[in-house]
PDB file of all heavy atoms in Angstrom:
ATOM      1  N   MET A 329      12.049 -34.850 -22.331  1.00  0.00           N
ATOM      2  CA  MET A 329      12.677 -34.820 -23.645  1.00  0.00           C
ATOM      3  C   MET A 329      14.127 -34.525 -23.589  1.00  0.00           C
ATOM      4  O   MET A 329      14.972 -35.160 -24.208  1.00  0.00           O
ATOM      5  CB  MET A 329      11.874 -33.782 -24.560  1.00  0.00           C
ATOM      6  CG  MET A 329      12.524 -33.682 -25.909  1.00  0.00           C
ATOM      7  SD  MET A 329      11.906 -32.141 -26.728  1.00  0.00           S
ATOM      8  CE  MET A 329      12.878 -30.936 -25.859  1.00  0.00           C
ATOM      9  N   LEU A 330      14.479 -33.462 -22.881  1.00  0.00           N
ATOM     10  CA  LEU A 330      15.841 -33.027 -22.721  1.00  0.00           C
ATOM     11  C   LEU A 330      16.726 -34.134 -22.097  1.00  0.00           C
ATOM     12  O   LEU A 330      17.842 -34.355 -22.449  1.00  0.00           O
ATOM     13  CB  LEU A 330      16.007 -31.728 -22.002  1.00  0.00           C
ATOM     14  CG  LEU A 330      15.525 -30.438 -22.786  1.00  0.00           C
ATOM     15  CD1 LEU A 330      15.440 -29.312 -21.895  1.00  0.00           C
ATOM     16  CD2 LEU A 330      16.367 -30.249 -24.007  1.00  0.00           C
ATOM     17  N   ALA A 331      16.094 -34.763 -21.016  1.00  0.00           N
ATOM     18  CA  ALA A 331      16.790 -35.810 -20.277  1.00  0.00           C
ATOM     19  C   ALA A 331      17.138 -36.944 -21.215  1.00  0.00           C
ATOM     20  O   ALA A 331      18.317 -37.463 -21.258  1.00  0.00           O
ATOM     21  CB  ALA A 331      15.997 -36.288 -19.108  1.00  0.00           C
ATOM     22  N   MET A 332      16.182 -37.294 -22.165  1.00  0.00           N
ATOM     23  CA  MET A 332      16.374 -38.477 -23.037  1.00  0.00           C
ATOM     24  C   MET A 332      17.374 -38.177 -24.117  1.00  0.00           C
ATOM     25  O   MET A 332      18.140 -38.992 -24.563  1.00  0.00           O
ATOM     26  CB  MET A 332      14.993 -38.892 -23.674  1.00  0.00           C
ATOM     27  CG  MET A 332      14.015 -39.458 -22.683  1.00  0.00           C
ATOM     28  SD  MET A 332      14.698 -41.009 -21.912  1.00  0.00           S
ATOM     29  CE  MET A 332      15.065 -40.392 -20.280  1.00  0.00           C
ATOM     30  N   ILE A 333      17.295 -36.888 -24.601  1.00  0.00           N
ATOM     31  CA  ILE A 333      18.318 -36.436 -25.602  1.00  0.00           C
ATOM     32  C   ILE A 333      19.726 -36.426 -25.054  1.00  0.00           C
ATOM     33  O   ILE A 333      20.692 -36.908 -25.649  1.00  0.00           O
ATOM     34  CB  ILE A 333      17.943 -35.045 -26.124  1.00  0.00           C
ATOM     35  CG1 ILE A 333      16.694 -35.111 -27.115  1.00  0.00           C
ATOM     36  CG2 ILE A 333      19.118 -34.437 -26.920  1.00  0.00           C
ATOM     37  CD1 ILE A 333      16.152 -33.666 -27.509  1.00  0.00           C
ATOM     38  N   THR A 334      19.803 -36.063 -23.832  1.00  0.00           N
ATOM     39  CA  THR A 334      21.077 -36.136 -23.080  1.00  0.00           C
ATOM     40  C   THR A 334      21.556 -37.558 -23.018  1.00  0.00           C
ATOM     41  O   THR A 334      22.765 -37.791 -23.236  1.00  0.00           O
ATOM     42  CB  THR A 334      20.935 -35.535 -21.695  1.00  0.00           C
ATOM     43  OG1 THR A 334      20.443 -34.222 -21.772  1.00  0.00           O
ATOM     44  CG2 THR A 334      22.310 -35.452 -20.939  1.00  0.00           C
ATOM     45  N   VAL A 335      20.707 -38.488 -22.757  1.00  0.00           N
ATOM     46  CA  VAL A 335      21.058 -39.915 -22.706  1.00  0.00           C
ATOM     47  C   VAL A 335      21.575 -40.353 -24.059  1.00  0.00           C
ATOM     48  O   VAL A 335      22.635 -41.071 -24.146  1.00  0.00           O
ATOM     49  CB  VAL A 335      19.801 -40.796 -22.237  1.00  0.00           C
ATOM     50  CG1 VAL A 335      20.105 -42.275 -22.442  1.00  0.00           C
ATOM     51  CG2 VAL A 335      19.450 -40.534 -20.832  1.00  0.00           C
ATOM     52  N   VAL A 336      20.740 -39.999 -25.121  1.00  0.00           N
ATOM     53  CA  VAL A 336      21.380 -40.348 -26.427  1.00  0.00           C
ATOM     54  C   VAL A 336      22.669 -39.757 -26.757  1.00  0.00           C
ATOM     55  O   VAL A 336      23.650 -40.488 -27.308  1.00  0.00           O
ATOM     56  CB  VAL A 336      20.289 -39.817 -27.464  1.00  0.00           C
ATOM     57  CG1 VAL A 336      20.884 -40.017 -28.856  1.00  0.00           C
ATOM     58  CG2 VAL A 336      18.969 -40.617 -27.340  1.00  0.00           C
ATOM     59  N   LEU A 337      22.882 -38.456 -26.500  1.00  0.00           N
ATOM     60  CA  LEU A 337      24.163 -37.885 -26.703  1.00  0.00           C
ATOM     61  C   LEU A 337      25.351 -38.608 -25.905  1.00  0.00           C
ATOM     62  O   LEU A 337      26.443 -38.798 -26.417  1.00  0.00           O
ATOM     63  CB  LEU A 337      24.140 -36.391 -26.443  1.00  0.00           C
ATOM     64  CG  LEU A 337      23.241 -35.536 -27.471  1.00  0.00           C
ATOM     65  CD1 LEU A 337      23.122 -34.178 -26.940  1.00  0.00           C
ATOM     66  CD2 LEU A 337      23.850 -35.544 -28.811  1.00  0.00           C
ATOM     67  N   VAL A 338      25.049 -38.831 -24.676  1.00  0.00           N
ATOM     68  CA  VAL A 338      25.982 -39.398 -23.846  1.00  0.00           C
ATOM     69  C   VAL A 338      26.445 -40.794 -24.273  1.00  0.00           C
ATOM     70  O   VAL A 338      27.556 -41.242 -24.356  1.00  0.00           O
ATOM     71  CB  VAL A 338      25.562 -39.421 -22.322  1.00  0.00           C
ATOM     72  CG1 VAL A 338      26.499 -40.322 -21.406  1.00  0.00           C
ATOM     73  CG2 VAL A 338      25.473 -37.994 -21.799  1.00  0.00           C
ATOM     74  N   VAL A 339      25.395 -41.590 -24.593  1.00  0.00           N
ATOM     75  CA  VAL A 339      25.603 -42.959 -25.083  1.00  0.00           C
ATOM     76  C   VAL A 339      26.454 -42.920 -26.429  1.00  0.00           C
ATOM     77  O   VAL A 339      27.472 -43.662 -26.588  1.00  0.00           O
ATOM     78  CB  VAL A 339      24.280 -43.695 -25.343  1.00  0.00           C
ATOM     79  CG1 VAL A 339      24.473 -45.013 -26.029  1.00  0.00           C
ATOM     80  CG2 VAL A 339      23.588 -44.058 -23.982  1.00  0.00           C
TER      81      VAL A 339
END
Side-chain angles (χ1 to χ4, degrees):
M329 175 196 77
L330 290 172
M332 293 301 103
I333 288 174
T334 303
V335 169
V336 170
L337 292 172
V338 169
V339 169

